Every structure is written in structure tokens, then in C-alpha cells.
């Protein structure tokens, strides 16, 4: 049995059911806060009157529920609980569920109410009700405020064994040491951009480094190209088709050069976009197609057919591709908010791809996207990404699951809904691109040039 994390909480008369590790993970999600236990159903009763007596007008709170299937889940709201019979708008509200070691974070959908304030027990979006009708149960009804799957969220086990509500108090900002050093200045952004312009591949026969992006559907491969293109264009662009469809929007193999401004010369790298990976066979990018891309046989704008792998024509099949045409670095693009939800089938497919690429000696790294969706603290301020231990834990998790060194996992935020460029976003994206070019140099430095 895990040790209880009792001494953390301010009110000694109440004991939390969270373990030390679970409490730490929730702290990583919330940032530099102090939690104090206000309400515990097993002590105060599953009664709305007891809940409101202890929790009303206490500021931001975190609800944590437990069920018989050992699921731990709940929600955060930054707005006071009251009994005012009004819809509550709270853009900071989110749901969470421990699925494995780490909590999965589900933010409130834009344009929807986060809660409804009344005299009953707490609800989120009038969609998820805790202790409804003063009973130890969780109840779900249709709604659009939060997008979650009941089976994954709480195992479809509606009977609660406990329900706790914590007051969330922001601590004064302390001087913390970042787990990675980075300079968040416009000077540094300009330096990184100049490094890209001045970069020269180590082999003279290669004029531009070719970087292959591989990842699940919707992870942000095309968005990364759009983001890099935006930085050098000086404004947000959407040249490559990107979005959040359930199936891959990219159906062709595309090679995207990036120009240094609208009229500028091409920069010394090409970002190669592929169809998204899917866990089932016969869907998404085929592993045999990846091998053909790595060897430089697949032409730009080749349309993928998941049922039939790429077949080079006789002329191309009879001659090896030049080093210029081959891939020099492979980047796995992984959604930070979905790492813990990655299926076994998809992880197995990525492992097969990893082995194939490793056998060719091509360097590999991970671009961990959507960090703002993975952690609300980082969403508020991208600047603290390398102070945030939750993001650090996600970097370590994806490193372990994909077999890539931690130093080769770079967290970023792509441009998606912004209209203007942002300094901190640019610096993270350019730092990731710099790492790709360095890895490509390592490959070219080691390759036998004929």
C-alpha cells in the first residue's frame, strides 16, 4: 500500500487519500500552489449543505473523486462555489483523470460554460455531476463543455468511495532553477534565425538537409512546418494543410522548403511531411513507405495508398538514390497531451519504425507538441516550460516509450489559432530546429561519401 501524503495539507484533522506521488503530479499540473483539504465526504457527509458550508467562496478549488475501480479523477475551477443559480464561465477550468502514473488534463471547450452554480453538489458543465442527489455516485449527461470518454475517465464505475475538495492557493513565485537553460530574448531569436541562414551541411554534395516528420494523426507535423515558415515569413502562415481531423489531412508525401522571407533564398533545410500514423493496419502511413522515403525513392507529391506500399519504377529501383535525396534526420511528432493515452498498437508500430531507422544509422528525435494543452500552467505562460516539472515528466515519459534520449525530446507549441508571432513560441520552435540540424550534421559527418 502506498504511503499517504498527509503532512502536506494545512488542516491536520483531515487526511487526504492522495498518495505522495499523486499529489506531486497534481501540483505539477497546477503549478506553484498550496492545497488545503476543505471537504471530505466520508467525514462531512455526502450532503450539499455540508459541501457548500465548507467550500463556498473559498476561491479556486480542486475536486478529487475515487471509485471502486481505483480511478482517481475530478476537476479544477478558478471561480468560487456559490448558490447563485447562474452559469459559470471559467476558461481555466479543467477535468483530470489518472490514467497510469500521470494525470490526463481535459480543458473546458472554448465558448462553453464550465459549471452551473446552485445549491446542489458540484458539477462541471452540467455534464459531469459529483455526489448527485447527495449520494456517493458520479453521474454523466450529454453536453459539450468537456470532451472526454467515460470509460477512460473513470472506467464507467459510477460508485464513489470518496470525494475531496481542496482549496488551491497560489504561492508567491520563488526563484527556481530550470531543468533546461534557454534564453528568452529577441536577441536569442535573432541569433537562432541567423544560425539557420548560415548553416552549411557538412557534405558538399548536400545543399539542404532533409528532415522527415513522422507521427500520429493530428500530432502537428504540418503545423510545425507552418510555424517555422511563419517565423521566417515574419507573420503567421498556413501553407501546409493542418487541423484536427480524425484521419490524416496529409495524404501525400510533401517536401517543404522554407524561404528566408517572401523574396528570400531557400534556407538550407527541407521539412518532409507524411501521412499520419494510425494504430490499425491498412490505415495511415505504411511502414514500408517509410523505408522508401528514408532511402530517397519517394517523389514529392506522391499520394499514399495505405493498402499498397510505394513501388519505385524500374529505373529508380536499379540505382541508389543520392545522399542529397535521402533523409538525414527523423523527427517523431507526438502530442504532449496524449502521451499517456497512446495505445499499445501505436507504440508497437513506432517501435518497429524506430528499429528500421536505427538500422540505417539515421539520427532520431522527438518534437513534443501541444504543451499548452497538456498543462494549464504552461498555457498561461510558455516562459515557465523549463521550470515545470509536469512537462519534464512528460519529456521523460515519451523518451522512455519511444526509446529516444531525453536530450533529444524538445517540447514546443506550434502556431494554431494565433494571428501574431510570439517571442517565446519562436524560441522553442527554433531551438528544436537547431537540434534537428545538429543531428543531421552528426549523420553526414559519419556517412561514407562515394
Amino acid at each position: 500500500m502506498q504511503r499517504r501524503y498527509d503532512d502536506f495539507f494545512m488542516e491536520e484533522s483531515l487526511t487526504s487519500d492522495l498518495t505522495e506521488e499523486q499529489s506531486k503530479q497534481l501540483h505539477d499540473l497546477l503549478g506553484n500552489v498550496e492545497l488545503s483539504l476543505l471537504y471530505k465526504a466520508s467525514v462531512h457527509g455526502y450532503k450539499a449543505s455540508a459541501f457548500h458550508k465548507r467550500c463556498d467562496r473559498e476561491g479556486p478549488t480542486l475536486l478529487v473523486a475515487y471509485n471502486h475501480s481505483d480511478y482517481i479523477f475530478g476537476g479544477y475551477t478558478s471561480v468560487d462555489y456559490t448558490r447563485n443559480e447562474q452559469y459559470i464561465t471559467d476558461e481555466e477550468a479543467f477535468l483530470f483523470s489518472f490514467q497510469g502514473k500521470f494525470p490526463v488534463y481535459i480543458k473546458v471547450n472554448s465558448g462553453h460554460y464550465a459549471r452551473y452554480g446552485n445549491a446542489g453538489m458540484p458539477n462541471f458543465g452540467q455534464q459531469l455531476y459529483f455526489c448527485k442527489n447527495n449520494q456517493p455516485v458520479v453521474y454523466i449527461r450529454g453536453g459539450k463543455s468537456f470532451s472526454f470518454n467515460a470509460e477512460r475517465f473513470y472506467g464507467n464505475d459510477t460508485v464513489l468511495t470518496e470525494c475531496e475538495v481542496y482549496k488551491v492557493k497560489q504561492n508567491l513565485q520563488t526563484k527556481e532553477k530550470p531543468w533546461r537553460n534557454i534564453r528568452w530574448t529577441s536577441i536569442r531569436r535573432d541569433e537562432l534565425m541567423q544560425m539557420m541562414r548560415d548553416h552549411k551541411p557538412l557534405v558538399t554534395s548536400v545543399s539542404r538537409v532533409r528532415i522527415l516528420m513522422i507521427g500520429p494523426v493530428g500530432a502537428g507535423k504540418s503545423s510545425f512546418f507552418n510555424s517555422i515558415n511563419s517565423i521566417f515569413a515574419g507573420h503567421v502562415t498556413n501553407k501546409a494543410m493542418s487541423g484536427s481531423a480524425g484521419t490524416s489531412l496529409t495524404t501525400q508525401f510533401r517536401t517543404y522548403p522554407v524561404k528566408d522571407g517572401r523574396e528570400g533564398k531557400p534556407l538550407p533545410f527541407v521539412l518532409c511531411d507524411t501521412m499520419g500514423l494510425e494504430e490499425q493496419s491498412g490505415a495511415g502511413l505504411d511502414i514500408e513507405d517509410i523505408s522508401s522515403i528514408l532511402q530517397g525513392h519517394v517523389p514529392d507529391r506522391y499520394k499514399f495508398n495505405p493498402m499498397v506500399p510505394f513501388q519505385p519504377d524500374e529505373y529508380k529501383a536499379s540505382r541508389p538514390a543520392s545522399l542529397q535525396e535521402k533523409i538525414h534526420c527523423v523527427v517523431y511528432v507526438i502530442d504532449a497531451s496524449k502521451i499517456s493515452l497512446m495505445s499499445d498498437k501505436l507504440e508497437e508500430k513506432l517501435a518497429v519504425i524506430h528499429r528500421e531507422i536505427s538500422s540505417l544509422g539515421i539520427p532520431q528525435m522527438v518534437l513534443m507538441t501541444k504543451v499548452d494543452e497538456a498543462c494549464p500552467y504552461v498555457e498561461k505562460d510558455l516562459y515557465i516550460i523549463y521550470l515545470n516539472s509536469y512537462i519534464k515528466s512528460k519529456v521523460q515519459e515519451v523518451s522512455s516509450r519511444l526509446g529516444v534520449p531525453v536530450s533529444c525530446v524538445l517540447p514546443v507549441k506550434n502556431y494554431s489559432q494565433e494571428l501574431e508571432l510570439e517571442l517565446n513560441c519562436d524560441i522553442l520552435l527554433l531551438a528544436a530546429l537547431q537540434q534537428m540540424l545538429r543531428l543531421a550534421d552528426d549523420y553526414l559527418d559519419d556517412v561514407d561519401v562515394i
Side-chain angles (χ1 to χ4, degrees):
M1 184 175 179
Q2 291 178 288
R3 182 167 65 89
R4 302 301 170 106
Y5 195 28
D6 300 339
D7 57 353
F8 175 79
F9 302 98
M10 294 173 61
E11 186 168 338
E12 295 180 356
S13 59
L14 295 178
T15 303
S16 169
D17 277 16
L18 290 170
T19 64
E20 181 176 359
E21 180 60 27
Q22 290 160 354
S23 184
K24 179 181 181 301
Q25 292 298 331
L26 289 174
H27 272 77
D28 290 346
L29 199 59
L30 291 164
N32 186 23
V33 301
E34 184 178 73
L35 298 179
S36 55
L37 189 50
L38 296 172
Y39 166 81
K40 190 176 179 74
S42 62
V43 174
H44 304 115
Y46 289 89
K47 298 178 181 178
S49 58
F51 163 75
H52 284 286
K53 179 180 179 181
R54 301 188 65 85
C55 300
D56 278 3
R57 304 196 182 282
E58 288 289 343
T61 51
L62 180 73
L63 183 149
V64 182
Y66 310 76
N67 67 15
H68 283 287
S69 299
D70 294 327
Y71 279 74
I72 300 173
F73 57 101
Y76 168 82
T77 177
S78 67
V79 179
D80 283 318
Y81 279 109
T82 61
R83 287 168 268 192
N84 59 6
E85 300 292 336
Q86 291 182 359
Y87 289 98
I88 307 298
T89 298
D90 182 5
E91 293 183 358
E92 296 181 22
F94 64 83
L95 302 178
F96 74 90
S97 173
F98 278 92
Q99 296 172 11
K101 183 179 179 182
F102 303 103
V104 173
Y105 154 73
I106 305 162
K107 66 183 293 186
V108 63
N109 290 325
S110 178
H112 292 275
Y113 293 109
R115 293 192 294 109
Y116 182 75
N118 59 18
M121 292 296 273
N123 71 85
F124 286 82
Q126 286 193 301
Q127 184 179 357
L128 184 64
Y129 292 79
F130 292 90
C131 311
K132 187 171 175 63
N133 297 326
N134 297 329
Q135 297 297 315
V137 296
V138 60
Y139 171 77
I140 186 172
R141 57 178 281 184
K144 297 182 179 179
S145 291
F146 297 90
S147 302
F148 67 95
N149 178 286
E151 183 175 358
R152 284 183 170 178
F153 192 68
Y154 57 85
N156 274 334
D157 183 351
T158 61
V159 180
L160 299 180
T161 58
E162 185 61 274
C163 184
E164 301 170 333
V165 178
Y166 298 88
K167 179 182 178 70
V168 180
K169 182 179 179 181
Q170 192 75 33
N171 284 331
L172 295 176
Q173 191 68 33
T174 57
K175 186 73 174 177
E176 299 176 69
K177 184 178 179 181
W179 48 274
R180 263 185 199 159
N181 292 318
I182 193 165
R183 286 190 285 134
W184 302 99
T185 66
S186 57
I187 293 174
R188 181 55 180 164
R189 176 177 58 187
D190 293 345
E191 288 174 351
L192 287 167
M193 292 178 72
Q194 194 59 45
M195 286 179 193
M196 308 304 154
R197 297 181 182 111
D198 296 341
H199 182 82
K200 288 182 173 56
L202 290 179
V203 176
T204 56
S205 62
V206 176
S207 60
R208 287 184 287 180
V209 166
R210 288 167 67 90
I211 300 164
L212 177 63
M213 319 291 288
I214 296 175
V217 171
K221 301 184 303 300
S222 301
S223 292
F224 178 71
F225 161 73
N226 286 335
S227 298
I228 294 297
N229 194 57
S230 297
I231 294 171
F232 285 95
H235 59 88
V236 175
T237 66
N238 287 286
K239 187 174 179 180
M241 186 179 294
S242 63
S244 55
T247 56
S248 184
L249 291 175
T250 303
T251 58
Q252 296 178 318
F253 175 64
R254 290 305 319 272
T255 57
Y256 290 114
V258 178
K259 288 184 177 180
D260 187 12
R262 182 177 292 235
E263 304 298 330
K265 65 179 182 179
L267 293 163
F269 58 87
V270 175
L271 297 174
C272 302
D273 196 10
T274 58
M275 193 175 189
L277 292 174
E278 297 187 41
E279 60 180 50
Q280 63 267 38
S281 58
L285 185 64
D286 189 275
I287 293 174
E288 289 186 44
D289 285 335
I290 294 175
S291 180
S292 296
I293 293 169
L294 296 173
Q295 299 287 357
H297 293 307
V298 180
D300 185 31
R301 298 186 183 274
Y302 166 75
K303 188 174 177 63
F304 293 107
N305 182 347
M307 305 305 295
V308 181
F310 172 80
Q311 296 292 332
D313 58 40
E314 290 184 13
Y315 172 71
K316 287 186 177 179
S318 65
R319 68 171 185 91
S322 68
L323 186 58
Q324 167 84 9
E325 297 170 303
K326 294 182 178 180
I327 295 299
H328 312 123
C329 175
V330 172
V331 179
Y332 301 101
V333 183
I334 304 294
D335 182 341
S337 65
K338 295 180 179 178
I339 294 168
S340 298
L341 301 177
M342 188 185 296
S343 69
D344 291 341
K345 287 184 178 179
L346 183 57
E347 192 168 348
E348 288 169 9
K349 183 175 279 190
L350 285 166
V352 172
I353 294 169
H354 184 270
R355 287 194 294 271
E356 171 70 17
I357 297 169
S358 297
S359 70
L360 297 171
I362 301 172
Q364 303 163 72
M365 63 170 276
V366 175
L367 194 69
M368 196 175 82
T369 59
K370 304 186 182 183
V371 291
D372 55 320
E373 295 182 23
C375 178
Y377 198 46
V378 171
E379 182 184 25
K380 288 182 184 178
D381 187 1
L382 203 58
Y383 173 82
I384 56 85
I385 189 167
Y386 287 128
L387 292 169
N388 186 270
S389 52
Y390 180 73
I391 294 297
K392 183 180 181 181
S393 71
K394 287 294 179 184
V395 167
Q396 293 169 334
E397 182 183 5
V398 76
S399 166
S400 175
R401 296 185 76 160
L402 268 65
V404 174
V406 169
S407 61
C408 291
V409 180
L410 278 293
V412 299
K413 178 188 180 302
N414 288 328
Y415 286 109
S416 56
Q417 59 187 7
E418 295 80 7
L419 297 178
E420 301 294 337
L421 298 177
E422 298 174 2
L423 174 65
N424 292 345
C425 195
D426 287 356
I427 289 174
L428 286 177
L429 290 162
L430 290 168
L433 181 58
Q434 180 189 42
Q435 181 71 358
M436 296 173 198
L437 296 183
R438 286 173 173 173
L439 289 174
D441 275 349
D442 290 343
Y443 171 73
L444 294 172
D445 191 37
D446 197 45
V447 75
D448 292 326
V449 182
I450 300 174

